[in-house]
Amino acid sequence: MSYIIQGDTGDWEVVVGLEVHAQVVSEAKLFSGSSTAFGAEPNHQVSLIDAAMPGMLPVINEHCIEQAVKTGLGLKAKINLHSVFERKNYFYADLPQGYQISQYLHPIVGEGKVLLDLEGGKTAEIGIERLHMEQDAGKSMHDQDPRRSFIDLNRAGVCLMEIVSKPDIRSPEEAGAYLRKLRAILRYLGTCDGNMEEGSMRADVNVSVRHPGEELRTRAEIKNVNSVRFVMQAIEVEAARQVEVWETGGEVVQETRLFDSARGETRSMRAKEFAHDYRYFPDPDLLPLNLAPEYVDTLAATLPELPDEKKERFISEYGLSAYDAGVLVAEKKNADYFETVMLGGPEGKRGQRDAKSAVNWVTTNLFGALNAAGKDIADSSIAAGQLGELLDLIADDTISSRIAKEVFDVMFETGRSAGDIVEEKGLKQITDTGAIEAAVDEVIAANPEQADQVRSGNDKAIGWFVGQVMKATGGKANPQMVNQLLRDKLAG
Amino acid sequence: MSLTREDVRKIAFLARIRIADDELDSLAGELNNIIGWVEQLSKVDTDGVEPMTSVADMTLPKRVDAVTDGDVAEKVLANAPDREGDFYTVPKVVE
Amino acid sequence: MSELTRLTITQAAAKLDAGEVSAVELTDAHIAAMETSRGLNAFITETPEIARERATQSDARRAKGAAVGPMDGIPIAVKDLFCTEGVLTTAASHILDGFEPPYESTVSGKLRDAGAVMLGKTNLDEFAMGSSNITSYYKPVLNPWKGADGKDLVPGGSSGGSAAAVASGMAMAATGTDTGGSIRQPGSFCGIVGMKPTYGRCSRWGIVAFASSLDQAGPMTRSVEDAAIMLQAMAGHDPKDSTSAPMETPDFRAQLRDGAKGLRVGIPKEYTLDGMPAEIQALWDQGRQWLEDAGATCKEISLPHTEYALPCYYIVAPAEASSNLARYDGVRYGLRVDGGTLDEMYENTRGEGFGPEVRRRVMIGAYVLSAGYYDAYYVKAQKVRSLIARDFRQAFEDIDVVLAPTAPSAAFAIGEKMDDPIAMYLNDVFTVPASMAGLPAISVPAGLDGSGLPLGLQMIARPFDEVTLFRAAQALEDAAGFEAHPWREGA
Ligand SMILES: [Mg+2]
Ligand SMILES: [Zn+2]
């Protein structure tokens, strides 16, 4: 389903590249010892270094380097053993030093790739251009005072990874899939929490359009879009705008634009363009960063299993469909929940649960209930072990899967175990022939005409009898046995 | 290569330094003298020479990831010329 | 003028230990001298209360037999580029109006912990950019030495206030910072010892930055031994400065008295400039003779890229400065001149806050880093810098120290060279090369010119070989026997 915009001058395709700023998970900032925690009092997580007091100097946080290297490895990217921190010089209210310490000519991570699962089992590979480390800026508040903006430097100096994709993205859907996949990888690695609401993941979106097969045309950069949905919308409206511009004989200008989610449009950020001369040069307060190959190897060896590998394993190990496996690994905690179910089981039968039904109960029943309740799996009232127990009761015919659904609902309500609920409500399946036979005889006796219909060959009426018997036994009778007995007794 | 009034105006803006119009020409003259003088470096053969990255041959020292600083709002705000509560202020920025 | 204000640290420490004088007496004598010599404008801020308090504490320590070393109780001046906790710190710039750091620079803190008594903050060229102390927002410093014609002379720069304070008896010693010669050249102009350690020997933390890859703090004293003693207190690895060398600090006096015998001294032929005053060439030759007489072997060496060091410096230093000075924006400290928009506030603040020389260098720096010029200027300069460092590395394969003049002239009159930046820059022609290579260097007062003004000779050593540098400098000092002083009764 390639994304094509029909114009008067023919078809247009959209070409998108994303620059994602991901906040590194760390206790302290990149070059100072102040905290990175979210939501503190203004300027309370600011050191003399973050406030760029005269004579203050940066000293790098080794954990941030480790996080960047891990992320590079997770993106199957080249780790550059030699990288350099440079100063990006510009004046802005939230940039106390008057420059941002970033990486430019020599980033810590080079080319890599991200695999996407798309609608209809399609896949796509999006190239990674580079990943570099840099300082976050502070925050300006413009709505507090009629003539002044207020500045809070709590974020200033927090470590960001800027992850730059190649212009390989061809549709809003691909952009969304790329962001979700990237976020999953970062969360699996524990290098970024991926919370776009809190701004720990922001995207700059580079959009251009062209007739298929053409050279790239001028792109516009949409700055700081803070949700997957908005990124997709922004691409859609910006692409439409550019097609409009080209087709009405205009020129798309290279500029930075803002996405107005309320109006659903992108707007040019007026700025003295000639002023954008960042005068990068190596930061003389720091030395080049050289990594030992052994250091990188050690991190590679201890890297956690990532979505793609987990998906492959779920398919091969549990025989899941690519689709089910994909759904499960999209969020690590979902995959973990499923795997906990699969590894459990009654004494002597550990790890023998049926994967297919486990997937169904997790992705259909549990996720359904959670969505309805607006809950996250993290605070699910049914622990993985408890769901497993329910599966075992079905497996050993203690309850029918119909009863199991009732039990599940009670479990979800109360958080009690399946066993207790079945006991208390006496929901055990009746498998004792005598008991079922009695019920069958009663029903037949009570309904002579229907019985005659069956005898005279109307097979459909059998189903009706099954229903009656089940009702009479409160649904606890084993349906197969009921069916068999009815056939024996009503056989003409 | 010689700087014009306009070049000087642009550089002054890059550096955010107000220069009165009547100073532009004299400043252009001074800057051109200095630039013309440093351009003698072009005579030096630097083929195959690596630019110096740091005088001391050291490796980049690293900090452990621990909160050892911050929570000194009074210290970082004490010298602010126009403080508002615990905020710094600047002339309103319209975005 | 009191005898106490003419002592060296070595002499004063002996008197303090012998109980012949107290730190408070020493301090009071210097506070009095600060007052009588205010005409020199050597101090931006005097801190007599702090001085008396620390002197009292020092005497108390000594009384308990707990003196912490030879600096304990020694009255010193601190260049106003070092941030000092709760004490106005200006870098001699309007833009730092009223700035009182809530922190103490590592170096001034180490001196305080060594018992040194801070008398005040000395004047300098604005942001240390200058060689004559005329760019200070707080007005020029006068050299305590007077020309034959009685004209007021510059003390050199940028550490001119520190040099004038030590030479005139207002402080027994002072801290300076040296980026391209800012300790050594004023040392030469004022007839005192000025020493720039190896880059990385002293922490830069808390020193207002000019050019980060060049700035080094160092001692300005009345003798080579004093310089070694004071550097002992200033030096040491600082984890807060990523460029601070992670190594033990040696005993800088270890070989002080070993003499010149066996020293291999290099005389760089490129340091002979045409048009250089004959007196300076003569003093240089004399210095070579002194060292040979003392048992050193001197030989001519070549540092082929010497003539390019100065233009190279005037690309690298302004480039770093243009970025280092971006933080002075009127938001968090110092001067703020309002404007209708953010950019106008920046332009007004920085336009008013920076003087002409700082403006020039910040703009040159912005220019050489800007798109299209970066490779031609900045990268080219860093390559030339590699060559300058290589010249020294190769030379030091068979010499121990380099001997050269410190400056191409003696102190000149206020007003001279002021209209021509490049003529002013040439003051640093002999000091800049060692700075570009990060090498330790020292200026030792060695003689007087025709009009009776002091001239210094410079020595340069291998990285982190200050021990040999002090040994060679001591031999030179002994041979030179420089005794002249600018003392002018009631000055
Ligand atoms: Mg970017
Ligand atoms: Zn960025």
Side-chain angles (χ1 to χ4, degrees):
Chain A
M1 34 111 247
S2 67
Y3 182 81
I4 290 295
I5 301 168
Q6 266 103 15
D8 314 334
T9 60
D11 287 356
W12 295 85
E13 76 175 344
V14 57
V15 178
V16 176
L18 290 174
E19 290 174 16
V20 172
H21 284 94
Q23 179 180 327
V24 165
V25 173
S26 67
E27 294 298 315
K29 294 180 179 180
L30 179 54
F31 293 113
S32 86
S34 36
S35 168
T36 59
F38 181 76
E41 288 293 297
N43 291 308
H44 277 61
Q45 284 172 180
V46 176
S47 70
L48 298 165
I49 297 162
D50 309 318
M53 290 284 169
M56 294 298 95
L57 298 170
V59 181
I60 197 165
N61 180 335
E62 65 184 356
H63 184 63
C64 295
I65 298 169
E66 181 177 322
Q67 295 285 63
V69 172
K70 277 184 175 176
T71 306
L73 293 167
L75 297 171
K76 313 278 184 274
K78 174 173 182 303
I79 305 302
N80 295 323
L81 296 179
H82 173 86
S83 67
V84 176
F85 288 95
E86 306 204 27
R87 292 182 181 180
K88 180 182 185 179
N89 295 281
Y90 65 97
F91 286 86
Y92 199 62
D94 59 18
L95 190 71
Q97 294 166 139
Y99 55 84
Q100 174 196 39
I101 304 178
S102 181
Q103 296 185 303
Y104 185 52
L105 295 180
H106 306 280
I108 187 165
V109 175
E111 294 189 324
K113 58 177 186 289
V114 171
L115 295 173
L116 306 186
D117 294 318
L118 301 166
E119 291 298 304
K122 287 208 191 58
T123 64
E125 178 177 309
I126 305 301
I128 295 295
E129 180 64 40
R130 61 185 278 159
L131 175 155
H132 69 254
M133 305 169 70
E134 63 186 21
Q135 298 176 295
D136 201 351
K139 221 165 81 231
S140 311
M141 268 140 289
H142 309 301
D143 47 11
Q144 318 257 324
D145 183 280
R147 25 171 292 276
R148 297 172 304 171
S149 293
F150 290 0
I151 309 300
D152 171 11
L153 298 179
N154 282 347
R155 293 190 79 102
V158 168
C159 181
L160 301 178
M161 298 180 285
E162 181 172 330
I163 303 165
V164 182
S165 85
K166 293 184 181 293
D168 292 350
I169 296 166
R170 289 291 175 277
S171 70
E173 292 65 31
E174 283 187 11
Y178 170 78
L179 282 172
R180 284 189 298 268
K181 182 60 173 285
L182 183 60
R183 182 170 59 192
I185 293 171
L186 296 176
R187 285 176 171 166
Y188 270 67
L189 289 164
T191 57
C192 171
D193 67 23
N195 297 337
M196 294 186 99
E197 321 69 49
E198 292 182 2
S200 43
M201 227 176 114
R202 280 119 63 196
D204 299 341
V205 190
N206 292 297
V207 179
S208 66
V209 296
R210 67 176 174 188
H211 292 301
E214 254 182 9
E215 288 298 293
L216 288 176
R217 297 197 181 202
T218 315
R219 62 185 174 82
E221 181 176 26
I222 309 162
K223 279 260 173 242
N224 264 315
V225 191
N226 60 5
S227 89
V228 175
R229 203 172 91 255
F230 289 163
V231 167
M232 296 170 71
Q233 287 173 8
I235 293 169
E236 205 169 330
V237 297
E238 176 60 15
R241 182 191 72 87
Q242 290 185 15
V243 168
E244 171 74 14
V245 170
W246 289 121
E247 295 204 325
T248 53
E251 274 270 324
V252 169
V253 288
Q254 173 140 17
E255 61 178 349
T256 55
R257 301 178 66 87
L258 275 178
F259 177 61
D260 181 331
S261 51
R263 290 231 194 76
E265 62 180 27
T266 67
R267 228 179 312 115
S268 178
M269 289 168 75
R270 32 99 221 117
K272 301 195 187 66
E273 282 305 324
F274 81 84
H276 285 309
D277 185 340
Y278 292 124
R279 291 158 289 144
Y280 281 97
F281 75 107
D283 191 330
D285 288 333
L286 295 163
L287 295 131
L289 173 58
N290 295 308
L291 305 175
E294 304 73 35
Y295 169 82
V296 177
D297 297 343
T298 316
L299 290 179
T302 58
L303 216 60
E305 182 181 45
L306 293 171
D308 294 336
E309 290 76 43
K310 202 181 275 293
K311 183 181 174 189
E312 282 320 302
R313 187 168 60 80
F314 278 12
I315 292 171
S316 56
E317 207 168 296
Y318 302 117
L320 301 189
S321 71
Y323 176 81
D324 285 340
V327 171
L328 285 173
V329 303
E331 287 278 4
K332 185 170 185 300
K333 49 197 177 200
N334 294 348
D336 291 347
Y337 188 101
F338 167 77
E339 194 138 44
T340 315
V341 172
M342 288 311 295
L343 294 177
E347 277 311 318
K349 292 189 176 174
R350 296 226 179 286
Q352 291 173 28
R353 286 172 178 155
D354 174 50
K356 186 64 203 160
S357 69
V359 175
N360 289 334
W361 278 94
V362 172
T363 60
T364 313
N365 306 68
L366 182 62
F367 290 179
L370 288 170
N371 284 337
K375 275 186 169 181
D376 183 278
I377 193 157
D379 35 58
S380 160
S381 46
I382 304 181
Q386 292 176 301
L387 185 67
E389 191 195 336
L390 180 66
L391 297 185
D392 298 338
L393 293 176
I394 302 167
D396 64 15
D397 286 335
T398 308
I399 56 174
S400 69
S401 38
R402 200 176 124 274
I403 291 291
K405 291 194 172 56
E406 292 173 28
V407 176
F408 175 89
D409 294 338
V410 182
M411 291 170 74
F412 195 80
E413 277 306 309
T414 64
R416 293 171 54 210
S417 82
D420 296 356
I421 296 165
V422 171
E423 270 313 321
E424 176 193 291
K425 293 195 179 331
L427 297 173
K428 269 205 165 53
Q429 187 162 233
I430 302 168
T431 46
D432 148 23
T433 322
I436 297 175
E437 192 164 15
V440 168
D441 292 340
E442 259 171 56
V443 176
I444 292 174
N447 305 281
E449 339 30 56
Q450 286 87 343
D452 292 334
Q453 288 178 27
V454 179
R455 295 203 183 83
S456 56
N458 177 353
D459 221 43
K460 278 190 237 72
I462 279 277
W464 181 83
F465 270 102
V466 174
Q468 294 303 310
V469 176
M470 291 310 283
K471 191 189 283 160
T473 58
K476 292 179 290 177
N478 178 311
Q480 291 76 22
M481 294 174 70
V482 173
N483 213 297
Q484 196 48 58
L485 280 159
L486 281 164
R487 289 187 184 285
D488 298 347
K489 292 184 179 289
L490 294 172
Chain B
M1 163 70 216
S2 163
L3 298 175
T4 66
R5 271 179 78 92
E6 254 333 283
D7 298 329
V8 174
R9 200 194 298 279
K10 285 183 181 180
I11 296 165
F13 180 72
L14 254 191
R16 296 300 188 279
I17 296 175
R18 165 92 58 236
I19 302 289
D21 281 12
D22 56 24
E23 290 177 90
L24 286 172
D25 292 318
S26 55
L27 193 51
E30 293 169 5
L31 298 185
N32 280 319
N33 286 340
I34 296 166
I35 290 160
W37 174 68
V38 298
E39 273 172 354
Q40 60 182 289
L41 286 193
S42 55
K43 286 187 277 161
V44 184
D45 175 4
T46 52
D47 295 351
V49 178
E50 278 303 305
M52 180 179 279
T53 43
S54 103
V55 270
D57 54 328
M58 290 172 45
T59 56
L60 181 68
K62 302 171 188 70
R63 240 177 54 239
V64 296
D65 181 30
V67 176
T68 57
D69 204 343
D71 202 8
V72 286
E74 276 317 309
K75 283 188 173 186
V76 298
L77 289 157
N79 282 282
D82 183 44
R83 169 184 182 174
E84 181 67 53
D86 284 346
F87 289 102
Y88 296 107
T89 74
V90 296
K92 199 172 192 68
V93 178
V94 266
E95 269 175 351
Chain C
M1 166 158 285
S2 149
E3 163 67 25
L4 292 180
T5 60
R6 303 183 181 189
L7 300 173
T8 62
I9 293 172
T10 322
Q11 295 163 340
K15 288 181 179 295
L16 284 165
D17 287 337
E20 294 166 29
V21 68
S22 73
V24 170
E25 290 172 285
L26 267 183
T27 299
D28 285 337
H30 285 85
I31 290 171
M34 273 201 295
E35 286 163 4
T36 47
S37 298
R38 274 191 189 134
L40 298 179
N41 196 33
F43 286 84
I44 291 174
T45 306
E46 297 178 0
T47 57
E49 311 73 16
I50 294 178
R52 290 207 174 85
E53 185 192 336
R54 293 191 189 168
T56 310
Q57 293 164 352
S58 173
D59 285 334
R61 274 193 300 272
R62 196 168 258 101
K64 287 198 263 96
V68 289
M71 289 302 293
D72 204 334
I74 302 300
I76 64 164
V78 174
K79 187 182 187 180
D80 204 17
L81 202 63
F82 293 78
C83 291
T84 43
E85 189 166 5
V87 177
L88 179 68
T89 299
T90 67
S93 181
H94 186 21
I95 209 161
L96 272 169
D97 274 6
F99 175 57
E100 289 186 2
Y103 51 95
E104 184 82 22
S105 81
T106 297
V107 165
S108 56
K110 280 171 150 287
L111 284 164
R112 182 196 55 203
D113 299 345
V117 169
M118 179 172 78
L119 295 160
K121 308 289 297 289
T122 54
N123 204 342
L124 63 148
D125 281 295
E126 184 179 4
F127 281 103
M129 297 181 190
S131 309
S132 59
N133 224 296
I134 54 152
T135 72
S136 170
Y137 175 71
Y138 295 88
K139 304 289 183 299
V141 175
L142 305 190
N143 192 319
W145 298 76
K146 287 259 184 203
D149 51 14
K151 275 216 199 106
D152 281 332
L153 306 176
V154 302
S158 65
S159 310
S162 289
V166 174
S168 65
M170 287 188 275
M172 196 169 288
T175 64
T177 62
D178 190 313
T179 302
S182 285
I183 286 175
R184 291 160 285 164
Q185 181 256 15
S188 177
F189 278 24
C190 293
I192 64 167
V193 172
M195 194 272 178
K196 179 196 97 73
T198 311
Y199 183 83
R201 182 64 92 183
C202 290
S203 170
R204 293 185 297 113
W205 193 90
I207 300 172
V208 173
F210 162 13
S212 309
S213 74
L214 294 152
D215 298 344
Q216 260 302 290
M220 302 179 78
T221 59
R222 294 182 187 147
S223 75
V224 170
E225 180 167 21
D226 282 7
I229 290 170
M230 189 170 175
L231 181 61
Q232 203 74 50
M234 297 167 70
H237 175 240
D238 180 2
K240 299 206 296 290
D241 174 359
S242 297
T243 62
S244 164
M247 50 170 71
E248 287 302 308
T249 306
D251 173 0
F252 293 123
R253 285 186 287 175
Q255 300 172 15
L256 199 62
R257 306 290 171 195
D258 288 9
K261 186 169 280 313
L263 266 187
R264 299 167 306 166
V265 181
I267 312 292
K269 62 169 193 280
E270 291 80 6
Y271 280 53
T272 305
L273 301 182
D274 24 314
M276 182 166 75
E279 298 161 312
I280 289 180
Q281 182 62 55
L283 181 66
W284 189 13
D285 298 339
Q286 176 65 72
R288 172 184 190 152
Q289 194 54 56
W290 282 331
L291 290 168
E292 280 173 342
D293 296 347
T297 55
C298 300
K299 67 170 209 170
E300 183 178 277
I301 59 162
S302 175
L303 299 168
H305 297 90
T306 299
E307 64 169 310
Y308 298 108
L310 204 53
C312 184
Y313 173 87
Y314 275 95
I315 291 173
V316 174
E320 294 181 7
S322 70
S323 179
N324 284 335
L325 270 58
R327 65 189 53 200
Y328 305 99
D329 60 5
V331 178
R332 295 167 314 285
Y333 40 77
L335 179 72
R336 171 164 181 160
V337 182
D338 264 305
T341 66
L342 180 62
D343 281 335
E344 282 168 24
M345 187 275 282
Y346 287 151
E347 292 175 290
N348 295 342
T349 300
R350 294 164 61 80
E352 264 190 47
F354 293 144
E357 181 62 20
V358 172
R359 284 195 208 177
R360 255 194 305 270
R361 295 202 198 185
V362 167
M363 290 178 70
I364 289 286
Y367 175 70
V368 298
L369 290 175
S370 62
Y373 303 102
Y374 178 73
D375 292 327
Y377 293 106
Y378 185 78
V379 175
K380 180 75 178 183
Q382 289 292 22
K383 288 179 177 175
V384 173
R385 190 174 178 183
S386 296
L387 292 173
I388 293 164
R390 193 173 72 190
D391 287 352
F392 278 107
R393 243 191 336 273
Q394 288 168 350
F396 278 119
E397 280 166 14
D398 51 14
I399 60 163
D400 303 309
V401 289
V402 169
L403 177 71
T406 303
S409 80
F412 45 86
I414 289 180
E416 278 175 41
K417 310 184 184 187
M418 306 295 163
D419 43 11
D420 178 359
I422 295 172
M424 187 62 74
Y425 297 169
L426 287 169
N427 274 288
D428 297 330
V429 65
F430 297 141
T431 47
V432 153
S435 300
M436 297 307 280
L439 302 173
I442 189 167
S443 175
V444 177
L448 299 172
D449 77 351
S451 46
L453 295 177
L455 295 170
L457 282 176
Q458 177 183 212
M459 291 180 130
I460 305 167
R462 292 186 190 84
F464 301 104
D465 192 12
E466 286 87 355
V467 168
T468 302
L469 183 65
F470 281 123
R471 170 189 167 196
Q474 183 64 58
L476 183 65
E477 183 180 69
D478 293 342
F482 185 86
E483 282 305 335
H485 294 293
W487 318 128
R488 292 165 300 159
E489 297 311 319

